[in-house]
Amino acid sequence: MSRRKPRRPARTGRPRLLSEEVEARLVAASRTGVAVELAAEMAGVSRSSFLAWMARGRAEVEAREEGEQPDPDEEEYAALYEKVRTARATAGARAMMNIRRVADGGIVTKVTTRQFRDSVTGEIVTETVEDRTAPDWRADAWYLERQHRDHYGKDATLAVEITGLGNLPAAADDEDTVDMVALTERLNASLFAVEYPELESGEIVDAEVVE
């Protein structure tokens, strides 16, 4: 079934907003990972125009993936959509690499070089000392909370396996029974006691439009 598209008014002498320069600015801004509003502002166009172009491009790309014939009138929007999507994916991958680096530690923060004379050989020796960051579990927690929400999000149920309870009395009354539910709740609260920055509203819009 062929697509039915609304008729668009014929172009007049007004310059096209989506020029090659504007496209290049939008792609460059998207490559940094900024929100839609900022990308549009950096390119000198309105947010609504940028979103409309992306919507047209996405519709065209999806139609082609479904086997429909390309629409020449939508080619520039499809190209913009593909370029922006790739640029934002690149920005996301770069940001995730940085998060992993913080989690793993070992980032060089300071390099100190000193020279001294070796007491045995009498030669001048150059020594370089690097200060590196320690691994930071909070970066891992941030990653898990956002990329694996079902298992590690704030609303996820924490499954806890307790070992080493062999020395507890074998009594079956309530006072000697470990309250696993309460323990799980306390552990869950402790794990998520750190407040992480919430996503900006623009970032959510971006994900719906671009991805």
Side-chain angles (χ1 to χ4, degrees):
M1 180 182 295
S2 60
R3 287 171 295 169
R4 290 187 177 181
K5 296 182 179 180
R7 287 182 172 272
R8 300 186 182 277
R11 292 176 177 172
T12 63
R14 180 172 175 266
R16 291 192 311 116
L17 288 178
L18 184 52
S19 62
E20 293 183 359
E21 181 180 359
V22 169
E23 178 188 86
R25 290 179 179 177
L26 288 172
V27 173
S30 299
R31 193 174 292 116
T32 68
V34 299
V36 166
E37 292 84 353
L38 295 179
E41 185 175 344
M42 293 171 67
V45 297
S46 67
R47 175 180 181 274
S48 59
S49 294
F50 185 23
L51 291 179
W53 297 340
M54 292 297 293
R56 291 179 63 174
R58 179 175 184 173
E60 176 64 15
V61 168
E62 291 178 348
R64 294 179 183 182
E65 291 176 349
E66 294 173 359
E68 296 190 25
Q69 292 296 321
D71 185 342
D73 293 338
E74 302 300 299
E75 176 61 36
E76 60 183 343
Y77 303 107
L80 174 67
Y81 172 76
E82 292 282 21
K83 293 177 182 178
V84 169
R85 183 170 65 172
T86 300
R88 293 187 63 80
T90 301
R94 183 173 59 249
M96 188 55 62
M97 288 177 60
N98 289 334
I99 292 173
R100 294 305 316 157
R101 290 180 62 202
V102 172
D104 296 338
I107 301 175
V108 178
T109 59
K110 180 181 179 182
V111 177
T112 303
T113 302
R114 70 186 186 94
Q115 290 184 331
F116 60 92
R117 186 178 299 278
D118 189 285
S119 60
V120 177
T121 64
E123 297 179 352
I124 300 298
V125 178
T126 301
E127 181 182 70
T128 300
V129 178
E130 294 181 344
D131 292 342
R132 295 177 176 269
T133 59
D136 191 340
W137 66 269
R138 290 172 297 181
D140 275 331
W142 185 95
Y143 167 80
L144 291 173
E145 183 182 335
R146 283 163 172 76
Q147 296 298 322
H148 302 279
R149 293 178 185 272
D150 291 342
H151 299 289
Y152 301 102
K154 291 184 178 181
D155 297 329
T157 301
L158 180 64
V160 181
E161 179 180 357
I162 303 298
T163 60
L165 300 181
N167 296 328
L168 288 178
D173 56 22
D174 293 338
E175 293 182 357
D176 293 331
T177 301
V178 177
D179 189 343
M180 297 300 294
V181 174
L183 178 59
T184 299
E185 291 178 351
R186 291 199 299 273
L187 289 173
N188 192 37
S190 298
L191 286 176
F192 296 113
V194 178
E195 290 294 333
Y196 300 103
E198 296 294 335
L199 293 175
E200 297 180 2
S201 58
E203 293 177 335
I204 299 176
V205 173
D206 292 354
E208 295 177 348
V209 174
V210 176
E211 296 180 356

